[in-house]
Amino acid sequence: MTPATLTTVRLLIEPLAMTHWEAYATMWADPRTTEFIGGKPRTRTESWGKFSASAGLWYLLGYGYWAFTDRENGALLGVGGLSQWERGIAELDGFPEAGWGFAPDAWGKGYATEAIGAVLGWSDTVLKASEVRCIIDLGNSASHRVADKLGFLKIGYSEDIIGPTNIYSRKRRG
């Protein structure tokens, strides 16, 4: 499946492309970005593996990750979407997993809520997944607030590869 392009008031949510690669690698090399996602900055090699896997999800699953870019200047602000990472967490099995990460300069501006809100709208109307789930590191209060704003409800807890996490669920709307 070819990834859709979505737009919001401030964002262009577009398929990951090589034009995003350098900004993506820079974002994931920053320890602030990875504090609650893996706990350590990613090397270029690690970032390349995640970047290519994120783009490849579309062809395997019919959903995947997008680049979240600024509509005014095209800057990469973050990435995210829906995935299936085979984490070994039973509560995630059979459900698309929402995920997001943003460059530190984009934090605190509502971009995550805006971007993932659009992704969930796409999921509700196009993918028609009955439910979307996500995991969030216990210490990541900003992402817990995003999940709450978007209607996710806590359904469990896990000790995932990224550390202790809460597991959330959001039922399809519409």
Side-chain angles (χ1 to χ4, degrees):
M1 170 183 236
T2 302
T5 298
L6 311 174
T7 56
T8 68
V9 172
R10 301 179 295 164
L11 302 173
L12 179 62
I13 300 170
E14 58 188 352
L16 283 167
M18 287 306 298
T19 55
H20 306 118
W21 165 240
E22 289 300 331
Y24 179 98
T26 299
M27 180 180 101
W28 289 104
D30 188 320
R32 296 172 297 171
T33 302
T34 59
E35 179 180 2
F36 301 114
I37 307 173
K40 66 178 183 64
R42 293 182 188 163
T43 66
R44 282 182 69 83
T45 300
E46 290 167 332
S47 284
W48 178 253
K50 290 287 193 179
F51 182 81
S52 57
S54 295
L57 289 167
W58 285 98
Y59 303 99
L60 297 172
L61 304 172
Y63 54 85
Y65 270 29
W66 284 272
F68 303 140
T69 61
D70 186 309
R71 282 184 63 179
E72 287 186 14
N73 63 23
L76 181 72
L77 302 172
V79 294
L82 303 173
S83 65
Q84 185 177 329
W85 295 123
E86 294 299 325
R87 297 179 186 278
I89 299 174
E91 293 89 344
L92 297 178
D93 291 346
F95 300 99
E97 177 188 343
W100 56 89
F102 283 82
D105 288 346
W107 293 355
K109 298 176 182 169
Y111 291 130
T113 303
E114 187 174 334
I116 299 303
V119 167
L120 293 170
W122 177 88
S123 176
D124 289 346
T125 59
V126 177
L127 185 61
K128 298 187 178 184
S130 64
E131 188 174 337
V132 172
R133 297 198 173 172
C134 70
I135 60 172
I136 301 172
D137 183 286
L138 295 184
N140 192 342
S141 58
S143 283
H144 290 287
R145 284 191 302 275
V146 168
D148 183 58
K149 288 177 191 174
L150 294 173
F152 282 92
L153 301 173
K154 183 181 172 189
I155 62 167
Y157 169 84
S158 178
E159 291 282 338
D160 179 65
I161 191 169
I162 65 169
T165 61
N166 283 334
I167 304 165
Y168 291 93
S169 172
R170 179 191 173 274
K171 302 282 187 198
R172 180 175 165 230
R173 298 191 178 152

